[in-house]
Amino acid sequence: MQANEDDTSRALLAAAHRLLGEHGSEALTVRRIATEAGMSTMNVYSRFGGKDGVVDELYIDGFTRLFEQINAVPETDDVGTDLVRMTHEYRRFALDNRTYYGVMFRSAIQEFTPSPRATETSLAGLVGVVERIRSGQERGQIRKGGGYQPHEVAGWLWACTHGLVSLELAGMGGEMIDWGAVFETGVQTAIDGLRPSMATPG
């Protein structure tokens, strides 16, 4: 929370976290947040400007926790293996925090537009991933050069991971697809393709 960090603001956010976790994004109305916190709706407006201000904080919190979990993966001598483990932490977070994930990627609250501060937070967490990729390139473990800038690699790796997870959460394929196995094979194949030994001869 950037401003008005007082007991009232914290209580309202705690109430919003409970509602989101227990009842889903549909419960995030100004009235229900205020009632859950035992306050009047005026407190929501005065502290956060309304529902969107509260959702903005949930969005920031979700991305903060997501990247904390990803970047907590220990660094080893094999950056590629570390990246695989980081993608698995991404999937674990999404499956364990489905309601937050829906808010973070706006599938649950489509009319919500993140503030510039929230957007900056969502992207800042990628720095840790970018630095791991850069380290792998410096060690000769990750391909580099045109089209393989660290931030570009992080971007398409994120897109691949997010795409697989989003299809799984949407229940696509039903029982026909074992998304755990698909995820394992998909990210492993993607990261194996980053290894210099897999480069196509020119």
Side-chain angles (χ1 to χ4, degrees):
M1 186 162 45
Q2 188 177 40
N4 298 321
E5 294 188 0
D6 57 15
D7 290 342
T8 297
S9 298
R10 285 188 283 272
L12 288 167
L13 279 181
H17 281 291
R18 288 194 299 274
L19 288 171
L20 180 61
E22 296 173 9
H23 303 288
S25 60
E26 296 82 3
L28 295 177
T29 66
V30 169
R31 183 169 298 281
R32 288 198 66 177
I33 293 169
T35 299
E36 179 71 16
M39 300 178 185
S40 71
T41 56
M42 184 58 65
N43 285 297
V44 179
Y45 289 108
S46 65
R47 262 62 175 191
F48 300 102
K51 170 185 170 180
D52 280 0
V54 177
V55 174
D56 210 53
E57 296 298 335
L58 297 176
Y59 178 98
I60 289 171
D61 181 69
F63 273 105
T64 298
R65 292 193 294 118
L66 168 64
F67 283 112
E68 283 178 351
Q69 185 167 326
I70 290 172
N71 291 319
V73 170
E75 292 189 47
T76 70
D77 292 333
D78 186 341
V79 175
T81 297
D82 295 348
L83 291 174
V84 170
R85 291 171 178 162
M86 292 170 85
T87 65
H88 280 280
E89 288 304 316
Y90 186 103
R91 176 173 178 262
R92 183 172 293 109
F93 178 90
L95 295 180
D96 290 345
N97 301 275
R98 295 170 185 246
T99 52
Y100 279 92
Y101 197 77
V103 170
M104 291 158 61
F105 292 99
R106 286 180 278 172
S107 60
I109 308 178
Q110 296 181 6
E111 72 275 14
F112 166 68
T113 300
S115 68
R117 180 170 71 95
T119 300
E120 181 179 347
T121 299
S122 69
L123 296 176
L126 272 180
V127 171
V129 180
V130 171
E131 289 307 311
R132 300 248 192 158
I133 294 168
R134 192 188 313 280
S135 173
Q137 291 177 331
E138 292 172 352
R139 299 182 196 180
Q141 297 177 1
I142 301 292
R143 296 169 67 175
K144 60 182 178 180
Y148 289 94
Q149 298 302 313
H151 66 280
E152 294 173 341
V153 174
W156 68 252
L157 185 57
W158 188 4
C160 175
T161 304
H162 175 69
L164 289 168
V165 168
S166 296
L167 288 172
E168 180 177 6
L169 290 177
M172 301 300 292
E175 296 182 356
M176 293 175 56
I177 300 178
D178 179 349
W179 283 108
V182 169
F183 187 90
E184 176 74 36
T185 302
V187 298
Q188 187 66 61
T189 300
I191 292 173
D192 282 347
L194 288 172
R195 298 183 186 276
S197 61
M198 298 294 289
T200 303

